[in-house]
Amino acid sequence: MPDKNRLRRAVLTGTGTYLPEKIVTNADMALQVDTSDDWITERTGIKQRHFAAPHETAAFMGAEAGRRALEAAGMAPEQLGAIIVGTSTPDQAFPSTAVHVQAALGATNAYGFDIAAACSGFIFGLSVADAMIRSGQVESVLVIGSEVYSRILNFADRGTCVLFGDGAGAVLLQARDVEKDGAGLLSTHLHSDGRLAEILYVDGAVGQPDKPGHLVMNGREVFRHAVTLLSGAVNEALAANSLTAADIDWLVPHQANKRIIDGVGKKLGLPPERVVVTVDKHANTSAASIPLALAAAVADGRIKPGQIVLLEALGGGLTWGSALLRL
Ligand code: COA
């Protein structure tokens, strides 16, 4: 007889990151673009970003972050069940970034695929991984966000090129039978609204003749929607788990802009000491931003086992969503 008090959950057992070696400060940006450290800092909270060298592709960085997450969990690559990579900047249209990561890791028994949900890619990946684990299909999933936005930035557009950076973050999720109030992913909530596609997009793709594409954004419109939609997704997560903001130990938001992060924190009534912020160091790394921030706060001991962590993201699509987990 199965024990009714125990549940099969996806439990986070390891995190890992990779950041390109090259750091570009706001002062460095001001040498090539008509901008200033003051403007960027005041509007976004960004102080620097990492830009990838040619060999630092989404697959390369994703594999490095994934390797570190496996090592942190003490899992051999051959034991891994699946790999999901959230990316908008894959090495190739196909095969997926995830299978390149698989080969680099030697994860010979895993299957892999990519998720295209822009900056929400990691949350969407977590949600799919959670369903795969809960259904009993796999015992472990490496969920990675890996992005090289420096390759799609239009450096003639100062309104966007100063906002983004490159990097990768990974988490390992493993199936565990836990008590109801034990560790694991508690819920995920996903949304998209394709009617808002034109406020944040890439104006090209491999499917279009001679048009690899650059990122285009109506920053004001994105900002206008961000706090409302993110607060909605966060409240949905709380309601679904019969929790209030007071129960949340840490908010780990998508790192797009300090003003959006502060806006959501304020609406939730969370003090800034319980919000993880890395946008100053990494800028917006799209699907990589949440796992980079989460891993940083786990590594420096801020986020501890047993704590409740709320994740939220919004990106091109628009896509947005939240995930709630207990470490
Ligand atoms: N440096 C200096 N000046 C800049 C600049 C830069 N990098 N980028 C734009 N400006 C100028 C504009 O040209 C404009 O000048 P003008 O008034 O002389 O025309 C002025 O700053 C204001 O531009 P605007 O675009 O209206 O600024 P804003 O207050 O909306 O801030 C963003 C711009 C991008 C910082 C802001 O809209 C934002 O954060 N949006 C959300 C973006 C985001 O997070 N996207 C990702 C979501 S996943």
Side-chain angles (χ1 to χ4, degrees), residues 35 39 43 119 158-159 217 219-220 223 254 256-257 284 314:
T35 190
W39 192 94
R43 307 276 172 136
C119 297
R158 64 178 180 170
M217 180 174 69
R220 289 221 162 160
F223 200 104
H254 170 48
N257 182 311
N284 182 347
L314 172 137

Side-chain angles (χ1 to χ4, degrees), residues 12-27:
L12 191 155
T13 55
T15 60
T17 63
Y18 181 87
L19 287 159
E21 248 172 64
K22 185 178 174 189
I23 293 175
V24 179
T25 64
N26 290 347

Side-chain angles (χ1 to χ4, degrees), residues 192-215:
S192 62
D193 187 346
R195 291 170 301 180
L196 296 170
E198 79 283 359
I199 67 171
L200 179 52
Y201 62 98
V202 176
D203 63 353
V206 285
Q208 296 195 25
D210 305 322
K211 226 179 161 197
H214 283 126
L215 185 147

Side-chain angles (χ1 to χ4, degrees), residues 278-304:
T278 50
V279 70
D280 53 331
K281 296 187 196 74
H282 304 157
N284 182 347
T285 56
S286 190
S289 95
I290 291 177
L292 276 168
L294 182 63
V298 168
D300 67 22
R302 271 179 291 168
I303 297 182
K304 296 181 177 60

